[in-house]
PDB file of all heavy atoms in Angstrom:
ATOM      1  N   LEU A   1       1.045 -16.035 -35.261  1.00 97.00           N
ATOM      2  CA  LEU A   1      -0.178 -15.847 -36.051  1.00 97.00           C
ATOM      3  C   LEU A   1      -0.184 -14.494 -36.772  1.00 97.00           C
ATOM      4  O   LEU A   1      -1.214 -13.834 -36.886  1.00 97.00           O
ATOM      5  CB  LEU A   1      -1.424 -15.985 -35.166  1.00 97.00           C
ATOM      6  CG  LEU A   1      -1.591 -17.318 -34.436  1.00 97.00           C
ATOM      7  CD1 LEU A   1      -2.898 -17.340 -33.654  1.00 97.00           C
ATOM      8  CD2 LEU A   1      -1.538 -18.489 -35.401  1.00 97.00           C
ATOM      9  N   GLY A   2       1.008 -14.083 -37.236  1.00 97.00           N
ATOM     10  CA  GLY A   2       1.130 -12.857 -38.020  1.00 97.00           C
ATOM     11  C   GLY A   2       1.429 -11.607 -37.232  1.00 97.00           C
ATOM     12  O   GLY A   2       1.620 -10.529 -37.818  1.00 97.00           O
ATOM     13  N   TRP A   3       1.499 -11.692 -35.903  1.00 98.00           N
ATOM     14  CA  TRP A   3       1.720 -10.517 -35.065  1.00 98.00           C
ATOM     15  C   TRP A   3       3.227 -10.249 -34.897  1.00 98.00           C
ATOM     16  O   TRP A   3       3.893 -10.910 -34.101  1.00 98.00           O
ATOM     17  CB  TRP A   3       1.092 -10.704 -33.682  1.00 98.00           C
ATOM     18  CG  TRP A   3      -0.397 -10.716 -33.682  1.00 98.00           C
ATOM     19  CD1 TRP A   3      -1.207 -11.802 -33.802  1.00 98.00           C
ATOM     20  CD2 TRP A   3      -1.270  -9.592 -33.544  1.00 98.00           C
ATOM     21  NE1 TRP A   3      -2.523 -11.430 -33.740  1.00 98.00           N
ATOM     22  CE2 TRP A   3      -2.604 -10.076 -33.581  1.00 98.00           C
ATOM     23  CE3 TRP A   3      -1.055  -8.221 -33.387  1.00 98.00           C
ATOM     24  CZ2 TRP A   3      -3.714  -9.244 -33.471  1.00 98.00           C
ATOM     25  CZ3 TRP A   3      -2.161  -7.394 -33.270  1.00 98.00           C
ATOM     26  CH2 TRP A   3      -3.460  -7.895 -33.319  1.00 98.00           C
ATOM     27  N   ASP A   4       3.763  -9.265 -35.632  1.00 96.00           N
ATOM     28  CA  ASP A   4       5.158  -8.854 -35.424  1.00 96.00           C
ATOM     29  C   ASP A   4       5.280  -7.941 -34.212  1.00 96.00           C
ATOM     30  O   ASP A   4       6.301  -7.922 -33.529  1.00 96.00           O
ATOM     31  CB  ASP A   4       5.690  -8.127 -36.666  1.00 96.00           C
ATOM     32  CG  ASP A   4       5.795  -9.045 -37.872  1.00 96.00           C
ATOM     33  OD1 ASP A   4       6.082 -10.252 -37.666  1.00 96.00           O
ATOM     34  OD2 ASP A   4       5.561  -8.588 -39.004  1.00 96.00           O
ATOM     35  N   THR A   5       4.253  -7.153 -33.959  1.00 97.00           N
ATOM     36  CA  THR A   5       4.190  -6.302 -32.764  1.00 97.00           C
ATOM     37  C   THR A   5       2.938  -6.695 -31.999  1.00 97.00           C
ATOM     38  O   THR A   5       1.868  -6.097 -32.142  1.00 97.00           O
ATOM     39  CB  THR A   5       4.131  -4.806 -33.156  1.00 97.00           C
ATOM     40  OG1 THR A   5       5.210  -4.494 -34.029  1.00 97.00           O
ATOM     41  CG2 THR A   5       4.218  -3.925 -31.908  1.00 97.00           C
ATOM     42  N   PRO A   6       3.040  -7.723 -31.173  1.00 98.00           N
ATOM     43  CA  PRO A   6       1.842  -8.260 -30.520  1.00 98.00           C
ATOM     44  C   PRO A   6       1.239  -7.309 -29.493  1.00 98.00           C
ATOM     45  O   PRO A   6       1.954  -6.576 -28.799  1.00 98.00           O
ATOM     46  CB  PRO A   6       2.336  -9.537 -29.852  1.00 98.00           C
ATOM     47  CG  PRO A   6       3.807  -9.338 -29.696  1.00 98.00           C
ATOM     48  CD  PRO A   6       4.241  -8.498 -30.855  1.00 98.00           C
ATOM     49  N   ILE A   7      -0.069  -7.327 -29.381  1.00 98.00           N
ATOM     50  CA  ILE A   7      -0.776  -6.511 -28.401  1.00 98.00           C
ATOM     51  C   ILE A   7      -0.330  -6.870 -26.990  1.00 98.00           C
ATOM     52  O   ILE A   7      -0.163  -6.011 -26.126  1.00 98.00           O
ATOM     53  CB  ILE A   7      -2.297  -6.685 -28.555  1.00 98.00           C
ATOM     54  CG1 ILE A   7      -2.783  -5.953 -29.817  1.00 98.00           C
ATOM     55  CG2 ILE A   7      -3.052  -6.157 -27.320  1.00 98.00           C
ATOM     56  CD1 ILE A   7      -4.254  -6.166 -30.135  1.00 98.00           C
ATOM     57  N   GLY A   8      -0.116  -8.160 -26.738  1.00 98.00           N
ATOM     58  CA  GLY A   8       0.193  -8.628 -25.393  1.00 98.00           C
ATOM     59  C   GLY A   8       1.663  -8.610 -25.022  1.00 98.00           C
ATOM     60  O   GLY A   8       2.069  -9.334 -24.093  1.00 98.00           O
ATOM     61  N   ALA A   9       2.479  -7.775 -25.677  1.00 98.00           N
ATOM     62  CA  ALA A   9       3.926  -7.772 -25.438  1.00 98.00           C
ATOM     63  C   ALA A   9       4.302  -7.491 -23.984  1.00 98.00           C
ATOM     64  O   ALA A   9       5.329  -7.970 -23.491  1.00 98.00           O
ATOM     65  CB  ALA A   9       4.602  -6.747 -26.352  1.00 98.00           C
ATOM     66  N   SER A  10       3.481  -6.744 -23.268  1.00 98.00           N
ATOM     67  CA  SER A  10       3.780  -6.417 -21.867  1.00 98.00           C
ATOM     68  C   SER A  10       3.454  -7.570 -20.912  1.00 98.00           C
ATOM     69  O   SER A  10       3.885  -7.567 -19.767  1.00 98.00           O
ATOM     70  CB  SER A  10       2.987  -5.184 -21.431  1.00 98.00           C
ATOM     71  OG  SER A  10       1.598  -5.466 -21.422  1.00 98.00           O
ATOM     72  N   GLY A  11       2.660  -8.518 -21.369  1.00 98.00           N
ATOM     73  CA  GLY A  11       2.298  -9.663 -20.539  1.00 98.00           C
ATOM     74  C   GLY A  11       0.993  -9.509 -19.791  1.00 98.00           C
ATOM     75  O   GLY A  11       0.267 -10.474 -19.592  1.00 98.00           O
ATOM     76  N   VAL A  12       0.659  -8.279 -19.335  1.00 98.00           N
ATOM     77  CA  VAL A  12      -0.586  -8.009 -18.605  1.00 98.00           C
ATOM     78  C   VAL A  12      -1.105  -6.639 -19.034  1.00 98.00           C
ATOM     79  O   VAL A  12      -0.352  -5.664 -19.060  1.00 98.00           O
ATOM     80  CB  VAL A  12      -0.377  -8.026 -17.077  1.00 98.00           C
ATOM     81  CG1 VAL A  12      -1.637  -7.573 -16.351  1.00 98.00           C
ATOM     82  CG2 VAL A  12       0.037  -9.423 -16.600  1.00 98.00           C
ATOM     83  N   ILE A  13      -2.399  -6.562 -19.356  1.00 98.00           N
ATOM     84  CA  ILE A  13      -3.019  -5.309 -19.798  1.00 98.00           C
ATOM     85  C   ILE A  13      -4.348  -5.105 -19.070  1.00 98.00           C
ATOM     86  O   ILE A  13      -5.122  -6.044 -18.905  1.00 98.00           O
ATOM     87  CB  ILE A  13      -3.282  -5.295 -21.319  1.00 98.00           C
ATOM     88  CG1 ILE A  13      -1.981  -5.505 -22.109  1.00 98.00           C
ATOM     89  CG2 ILE A  13      -3.946  -3.993 -21.748  1.00 98.00           C
ATOM     90  CD1 ILE A  13      -2.197  -5.624 -23.608  1.00 98.00           C
ATOM     91  N   ILE A  14      -4.612  -3.865 -18.667  1.00 98.00           N
ATOM     92  CA  ILE A  14      -5.917  -3.462 -18.148  1.00 98.00           C
ATOM     93  C   ILE A  14      -6.617  -2.652 -19.241  1.00 98.00           C
ATOM     94  O   ILE A  14      -6.012  -1.754 -19.843  1.00 98.00           O
ATOM     95  CB  ILE A  14      -5.780  -2.619 -16.874  1.00 98.00           C
ATOM     96  CG1 ILE A  14      -4.973  -3.373 -15.817  1.00 98.00           C
ATOM     97  CG2 ILE A  14      -7.161  -2.264 -16.316  1.00 98.00           C
ATOM     98  CD1 ILE A  14      -4.666  -2.541 -14.584  1.00 98.00           C
ATOM     99  N   TRP A  15      -7.888  -2.951 -19.482  1.00 97.00           N
ATOM    100  CA  TRP A  15      -8.671  -2.324 -20.551  1.00 97.00           C
ATOM    101  C   TRP A  15      -9.873  -1.596 -19.950  1.00 97.00           C
ATOM    102  O   TRP A  15     -10.398  -1.990 -18.912  1.00 97.00           O
ATOM    103  CB  TRP A  15      -9.197  -3.384 -21.511  1.00 97.00           C
ATOM    104  CG  TRP A  15      -8.161  -4.317 -22.079  1.00 97.00           C
ATOM    105  CD1 TRP A  15      -7.532  -5.356 -21.430  1.00 97.00           C
ATOM    106  CD2 TRP A  15      -7.654  -4.314 -23.413  1.00 97.00           C
ATOM    107  NE1 TRP A  15      -6.672  -5.992 -22.284  1.00 97.00           N
ATOM    108  CE2 TRP A  15      -6.723  -5.382 -23.505  1.00 97.00           C
ATOM    109  CE3 TRP A  15      -7.893  -3.531 -24.544  1.00 97.00           C
ATOM    110  CZ2 TRP A  15      -6.044  -5.664 -24.675  1.00 97.00           C
ATOM    111  CZ3 TRP A  15      -7.212  -3.823 -25.721  1.00 97.00           C
ATOM    112  CH2 TRP A  15      -6.292  -4.874 -25.783  1.00 97.00           C
ATOM    113  N   ASP A  16     -10.327  -0.550 -20.662  1.00 93.00           N
ATOM    114  CA  ASP A  16     -11.548   0.120 -20.232  1.00 93.00           C
ATOM    115  C   ASP A  16     -12.764  -0.599 -20.799  1.00 93.00           C
ATOM    116  O   ASP A  16     -12.638  -1.625 -21.482  1.00 93.00           O
ATOM    117  CB  ASP A  16     -11.543   1.613 -20.589  1.00 93.00           C
ATOM    118  CG  ASP A  16     -11.629   1.880 -22.099  1.00 93.00           C
ATOM    119  OD1 ASP A  16     -11.976   0.961 -22.871  1.00 93.00           O
ATOM    120  OD2 ASP A  16     -11.356   3.024 -22.507  1.00 93.00           O
ATOM    121  N   ASP A  17     -13.951  -0.083 -20.537  1.00 87.00           N
ATOM    122  CA  ASP A  17     -15.167  -0.782 -20.933  1.00 87.00           C
ATOM    123  C   ASP A  17     -15.475  -0.674 -22.422  1.00 87.00           C
ATOM    124  O   ASP A  17     -16.445  -1.252 -22.906  1.00 87.00           O
ATOM    125  CB  ASP A  17     -16.365  -0.280 -20.124  1.00 87.00           C
ATOM    126  CG  ASP A  17     -16.606   1.213 -20.301  1.00 87.00           C
ATOM    127  OD1 ASP A  17     -15.814   1.879 -20.993  1.00 87.00           O
ATOM    128  OD2 ASP A  17     -17.587   1.722 -19.727  1.00 87.00           O
ATOM    129  N   LYS A  18     -14.629   0.028 -23.174  1.00 84.00           N
ATOM    130  CA  LYS A  18     -14.790   0.120 -24.627  1.00 84.00           C
ATOM    131  C   LYS A  18     -13.725  -0.689 -25.364  1.00 84.00           C
ATOM    132  O   LYS A  18     -13.634  -0.635 -26.591  1.00 84.00           O
ATOM    133  CB  LYS A  18     -14.717   1.595 -25.074  1.00 84.00           C
ATOM    134  CG  LYS A  18     -15.775   2.491 -24.456  1.00 84.00           C
ATOM    135  CD  LYS A  18     -17.167   2.095 -24.905  1.00 84.00           C
ATOM    136  CE  LYS A  18     -18.205   3.115 -24.477  1.00 84.00           C
ATOM    137  NZ  LYS A  18     -18.295   3.292 -23.016  1.00 84.00           N
ATOM    138  N   GLY A  19     -12.891  -1.403 -24.611  1.00 87.00           N
ATOM    139  CA  GLY A  19     -11.836  -2.195 -25.240  1.00 87.00           C
ATOM    140  C   GLY A  19     -10.600  -1.399 -25.564  1.00 87.00           C
ATOM    141  O   GLY A  19      -9.832  -1.768 -26.473  1.00 87.00           O
ATOM    142  N   ASN A  20     -10.338  -0.297 -24.844  1.00 92.00           N
ATOM    143  CA  ASN A  20      -9.124   0.504 -25.024  1.00 92.00           C
ATOM    144  C   ASN A  20      -8.143   0.223 -23.892  1.00 92.00           C
ATOM    145  O   ASN A  20      -8.546   0.137 -22.722  1.00 92.00           O
ATOM    146  CB  ASN A  20      -9.470   2.002 -25.027  1.00 92.00           C
ATOM    147  CG  ASN A  20     -10.455   2.367 -26.112  1.00 92.00           C
ATOM    148  OD1 ASN A  20     -10.241   2.065 -27.285  1.00 92.00           O
ATOM    149  ND2 ASN A  20     -11.558   3.006 -25.733  1.00 92.00           N
ATOM    150  N   ARG A  21      -6.867   0.116 -24.234  1.00 95.00           N
ATOM    151  CA  ARG A  21      -5.851  -0.145 -23.219  1.00 95.00           C
ATOM    152  C   ARG A  21      -5.651   1.077 -22.331  1.00 95.00           C
ATOM    153  O   ARG A  21      -5.469   2.187 -22.830  1.00 95.00           O
ATOM    154  CB  ARG A  21      -4.529  -0.532 -23.885  1.00 95.00           C
ATOM    155  CG  ARG A  21      -4.505  -1.948 -24.427  1.00 95.00           C
ATOM    156  CD  ARG A  21      -3.222  -2.266 -25.145  1.00 95.00           C
ATOM    157  NE  ARG A  21      -3.289  -1.875 -26.547  1.00 95.00           N
ATOM    158  CZ  ARG A  21      -2.342  -2.129 -27.439  1.00 95.00           C
ATOM    159  NH1 ARG A  21      -1.234  -2.748 -27.059  1.00 95.00           N
ATOM    160  NH2 ARG A  21      -2.485  -1.765 -28.699  1.00 95.00           N
ATOM    161  N   ILE A  22      -5.662   0.863 -21.003  1.00 95.00           N
ATOM    162  CA  ILE A  22      -5.455   1.975 -20.081  1.00 95.00           C
ATOM    163  C   ILE A  22      -4.212   1.788 -19.210  1.00 95.00           C
ATOM    164  O   ILE A  22      -3.722   2.736 -18.618  1.00 95.00           O
ATOM    165  CB  ILE A  22      -6.691   2.211 -19.187  1.00 95.00           C
ATOM    166  CG1 ILE A  22      -7.084   0.949 -18.409  1.00 95.00           C
ATOM    167  CG2 ILE A  22      -7.850   2.696 -20.022  1.00 95.00           C
ATOM    168  CD1 ILE A  22      -8.266   1.156 -17.469  1.00 95.00           C
ATOM    169  N   LYS A  23      -3.690   0.547 -19.123  1.00 96.00           N
ATOM    170  CA  LYS A  23      -2.471   0.320 -18.367  1.00 96.00           C
ATOM    171  C   LYS A  23      -1.858  -0.999 -18.800  1.00 96.00           C
ATOM    172  O   LYS A  23      -2.580  -1.964 -19.095  1.00 96.00           O
ATOM    173  CB  LYS A  23      -2.745   0.280 -16.859  1.00 96.00           C
ATOM    174  CG  LYS A  23      -1.483   0.111 -16.015  1.00 96.00           C
ATOM    175  CD  LYS A  23      -1.778   0.054 -14.520  1.00 96.00           C
ATOM    176  CE  LYS A  23      -0.493  -0.177 -13.736  1.00 96.00           C
ATOM    177  NZ  LYS A  23      -0.736  -0.267 -12.269  1.00 96.00           N
ATOM    178  N   GLU A  24      -0.507  -1.045 -18.839  1.00 97.00           N
ATOM    179  CA  GLU A  24       0.203  -2.275 -19.140  1.00 97.00           C
ATOM    180  C   GLU A  24       1.269  -2.519 -18.092  1.00 97.00           C
ATOM    181  O   GLU A  24       1.790  -1.582 -17.481  1.00 97.00           O
ATOM    182  CB  GLU A  24       0.834  -2.206 -20.538  1.00 97.00           C
ATOM    183  CG  GLU A  24      -0.177  -1.964 -21.643  1.00 97.00           C
ATOM    184  CD  GLU A  24       0.396  -2.152 -23.032  1.00 97.00           C
ATOM    185  OE1 GLU A  24       1.325  -2.974 -23.181  1.00 97.00           O
ATOM    186  OE2 GLU A  24      -0.075  -1.477 -23.964  1.00 97.00           O
ATOM    187  N   ALA A  25       1.591  -3.787 -17.867  1.00 97.00           N
ATOM    188  CA  ALA A  25       2.635  -4.134 -16.909  1.00 97.00           C
ATOM    189  C   ALA A  25       3.980  -3.607 -17.387  1.00 97.00           C
ATOM    190  O   ALA A  25       4.236  -3.508 -18.593  1.00 97.00           O
ATOM    191  CB  ALA A  25       2.697  -5.646 -16.733  1.00 97.00           C
ATOM    192  N   SER A  26       4.852  -3.273 -16.439  1.00 94.00           N
ATOM    193  CA  SER A  26       6.154  -2.693 -16.772  1.00 94.00           C
ATOM    194  C   SER A  26       7.288  -3.543 -16.220  1.00 94.00           C
ATOM    195  O   SER A  26       8.255  -3.024 -15.674  1.00 94.00           O
ATOM    196  CB  SER A  26       6.256  -1.270 -16.222  1.00 94.00           C
ATOM    197  OG  SER A  26       6.055  -1.259 -14.819  1.00 94.00           O
ATOM    198  N   ARG A  27       7.158  -4.849 -16.332  1.00 95.00           N
ATOM    199  CA  ARG A  27       8.209  -5.759 -15.890  1.00 95.00           C
ATOM    200  C   ARG A  27       8.396  -6.840 -16.953  1.00 95.00           C
ATOM    201  O   ARG A  27       7.609  -6.928 -17.890  1.00 95.00           O
ATOM    202  CB  ARG A  27       7.878  -6.364 -14.530  1.00 95.00           C
ATOM    203  CG  ARG A  27       6.539  -7.060 -14.467  1.00 95.00           C
ATOM    204  CD  ARG A  27       6.261  -7.590 -13.067  1.00 95.00           C
ATOM    205  NE  ARG A  27       6.003  -6.503 -12.122  1.00 95.00           N
ATOM    206  CZ  ARG A  27       6.403  -6.534 -10.851  1.00 95.00           C
ATOM    207  NH1 ARG A  27       7.072  -7.575 -10.399  1.00 95.00           N
ATOM    208  NH2 ARG A  27       6.128  -5.537 -10.036  1.00 95.00           N
ATOM    209  N   ASN A  28       9.411  -7.644 -16.834  1.00 95.00           N
ATOM    210  CA  ASN A  28       9.712  -8.658 -17.845  1.00 95.00           C
ATOM    211  C   ASN A  28       8.861  -9.903 -17.625  1.00 95.00           C
ATOM    212  O   ASN A  28       9.254 -10.835 -16.924  1.00 95.00           O
ATOM    213  CB  ASN A  28      11.194  -9.027 -17.810  1.00 95.00           C
ATOM    214  CG  ASN A  28      12.075  -7.879 -18.251  1.00 95.00           C
ATOM    215  OD1 ASN A  28      11.711  -7.099 -19.135  1.00 95.00           O
ATOM    216  ND2 ASN A  28      13.234  -7.746 -17.632  1.00 95.00           N
ATOM    217  N   ILE A  29       7.689  -9.901 -18.247  1.00 98.00           N
ATOM    218  CA  ILE A  29       6.775 -11.038 -18.157  1.00 98.00           C
ATOM    219  C   ILE A  29       6.879 -11.819 -19.457  1.00 98.00           C
ATOM    220  O   ILE A  29       6.554 -11.309 -20.524  1.00 98.00           O
ATOM    221  CB  ILE A  29       5.335 -10.571 -17.922  1.00 98.00           C
ATOM    222  CG1 ILE A  29       5.229  -9.789 -16.611  1.00 98.00           C
ATOM    223  CG2 ILE A  29       4.376 -11.746 -17.931  1.00 98.00           C
ATOM    224  CD1 ILE A  29       3.887  -9.120 -16.394  1.00 98.00           C
ATOM    225  N   TYR A  30       7.329 -13.053 -19.377  1.00 98.00           N
ATOM    226  CA  TYR A  30       7.414 -13.900 -20.559  1.00 98.00           C
ATOM    227  C   TYR A  30       6.154 -14.742 -20.733  1.00 98.00           C
ATOM    228  O   TYR A  30       5.856 -15.197 -21.835  1.00 98.00           O
ATOM    229  CB  TYR A  30       8.632 -14.824 -20.472  1.00 98.00           C
ATOM    230  CG  TYR A  30       9.946 -14.098 -20.287  1.00 98.00           C
ATOM    231  CD1 TYR A  30      10.951 -14.644 -19.513  1.00 98.00           C
ATOM    232  CD2 TYR A  30      10.173 -12.856 -20.879  1.00 98.00           C
ATOM    233  CE1 TYR A  30      12.161 -13.974 -19.330  1.00 98.00           C
ATOM    234  CE2 TYR A  30      11.368 -12.176 -20.699  1.00 98.00           C
ATOM    235  CZ  TYR A  30      12.360 -12.745 -19.927  1.00 98.00           C
ATOM    236  OH  TYR A  30      13.545 -12.079 -19.744  1.00 98.00           O
ATOM    237  N   ASP A  31       5.437 -14.943 -19.644  1.00 98.00           N
ATOM    238  CA  ASP A  31       4.233 -15.760 -19.680  1.00 98.00           C
ATOM    239  C   ASP A  31       3.483 -15.509 -18.377  1.00 98.00           C
ATOM    240  O   ASP A  31       4.028 -15.726 -17.296  1.00 98.00           O
ATOM    241  CB  ASP A  31       4.621 -17.244 -19.796  1.00 98.00           C
ATOM    242  CG  ASP A  31       3.452 -18.131 -20.192  1.00 98.00           C
ATOM    243  OD1 ASP A  31       2.338 -17.905 -19.673  1.00 98.00           O
ATOM    244  OD2 ASP A  31       3.645 -19.058 -20.994  1.00 98.00           O
ATOM    245  N   CYS A  32       2.258 -15.022 -18.475  1.00 98.00           N
ATOM    246  CA  CYS A  32       1.432 -14.824 -17.274  1.00 98.00           C
ATOM    247  C   CYS A  32       0.735 -16.145 -16.976  1.00 98.00           C
ATOM    248  O   CYS A  32      -0.234 -16.510 -17.626  1.00 98.00           O
ATOM    249  CB  CYS A  32       0.414 -13.711 -17.502  1.00 98.00           C
ATOM    250  SG  CYS A  32      -0.610 -13.350 -16.053  1.00 98.00           S
ATOM    251  N   TYR A  33       1.248 -16.867 -15.988  1.00 98.00           N
ATOM    252  CA  TYR A  33       0.753 -18.210 -15.701  1.00 98.00           C
ATOM    253  C   TYR A  33      -0.620 -18.224 -15.039  1.00 98.00           C
ATOM    254  O   TYR A  33      -1.409 -19.133 -15.277  1.00 98.00           O
ATOM    255  CB  TYR A  33       1.749 -18.930 -14.792  1.00 98.00           C
ATOM    256  CG  TYR A  33       2.835 -19.695 -15.507  1.00 98.00           C
ATOM    257  CD1 TYR A  33       3.326 -19.263 -16.745  1.00 98.00           C
ATOM    258  CD2 TYR A  33       3.385 -20.836 -14.961  1.00 98.00           C
ATOM    259  CE1 TYR A  33       4.332 -19.945 -17.401  1.00 98.00           C
ATOM    260  CE2 TYR A  33       4.393 -21.539 -15.606  1.00 98.00           C
ATOM    261  CZ  TYR A  33       4.862 -21.092 -16.827  1.00 98.00           C
ATOM    262  OH  TYR A  33       5.862 -21.786 -17.474  1.00 98.00           O
ATOM    263  N   ALA A  34      -0.880 -17.256 -14.185  1.00 98.00           N
ATOM    264  CA  ALA A  34      -2.149 -17.258 -13.439  1.00 98.00           C
ATOM    265  C   ALA A  34      -2.477 -15.855 -12.970  1.00 98.00           C
ATOM    266  O   ALA A  34      -1.588 -15.004 -12.825  1.00 98.00           O
ATOM    267  CB  ALA A  34      -2.069 -18.212 -12.240  1.00 98.00           C
ATOM    268  N   MET A  35      -3.776 -15.629 -12.709  1.00 98.00           N
ATOM    269  CA  MET A  35      -4.249 -14.292 -12.328  1.00 98.00           C
ATOM    270  C   MET A  35      -5.459 -14.435 -11.430  1.00 98.00           C
ATOM    271  O   MET A  35      -6.144 -15.454 -11.432  1.00 98.00           O
ATOM    272  CB  MET A  35      -4.591 -13.494 -13.593  1.00 98.00           C
ATOM    273  CG  MET A  35      -5.057 -12.073 -13.358  1.00 98.00           C
ATOM    274  SD  MET A  35      -5.440 -11.210 -14.919  1.00 98.00           S
ATOM    275  CE  MET A  35      -3.768 -10.953 -15.557  1.00 98.00           C
ATOM    276  N   ASN A  36      -5.731 -13.389 -10.658  1.00 98.00           N
ATOM    277  CA  ASN A  36      -6.939 -13.314  -9.856  1.00 98.00           C
ATOM    278  C   ASN A  36      -7.228 -11.849  -9.556  1.00 98.00           C
ATOM    279  O   ASN A  36      -6.340 -10.999  -9.674  1.00 98.00           O
ATOM    280  CB  ASN A  36      -6.780 -14.100  -8.549  1.00 98.00           C
ATOM    281  CG  ASN A  36      -8.108 -14.616  -8.022  1.00 98.00           C
ATOM    282  OD1 ASN A  36      -9.147 -14.001  -8.230  1.00 98.00           O
ATOM    283  ND2 ASN A  36      -8.072 -15.746  -7.337  1.00 98.00           N
ATOM    284  N   ILE A  37      -8.465 -11.568  -9.190  1.00 98.00           N
ATOM    285  CA  ILE A  37      -8.896 -10.238  -8.764  1.00 98.00           C
ATOM    286  C   ILE A  37      -9.416 -10.375  -7.344  1.00 98.00           C
ATOM    287  O   ILE A  37     -10.302 -11.196  -7.083  1.00 98.00           O
ATOM    288  CB  ILE A  37     -10.019  -9.672  -9.661  1.00 98.00           C
ATOM    289  CG1 ILE A  37      -9.665  -9.806 -11.147  1.00 98.00           C
ATOM    290  CG2 ILE A  37     -10.326  -8.230  -9.286  1.00 98.00           C
ATOM    291  CD1 ILE A  37      -8.485  -8.983 -11.594  1.00 98.00           C
TER     292      ILE A  37
END
């Protein structure tokens, strides 16, 4: 959909309450199939 450098390249991202990225996963994630907190 036009994203040459996609936001989700790391596979998992944690965001702050203003919508700013504060942490990204550092492993080879091709698809995050499921998640829970």
Side-chain angles (χ1 to χ4, degrees):
L1 301 183
W3 291 91
D4 294 327
T5 307
I7 287 175
S10 66
V12 173
I13 302 175
I14 304 174
W15 307 75
D16 68 15
D17 59 356
K18 300 295 189 299
N20 301 307
R21 284 177 273 185
I22 56 178
K23 183 181 177 181
E24 301 191 30
S26 58
R27 55 182 70 216
N28 293 325
I29 299 172
Y30 303 145
D31 195 319
C32 182
Y33 271 31
M35 182 180 287
N36 208 329
I37 311 294

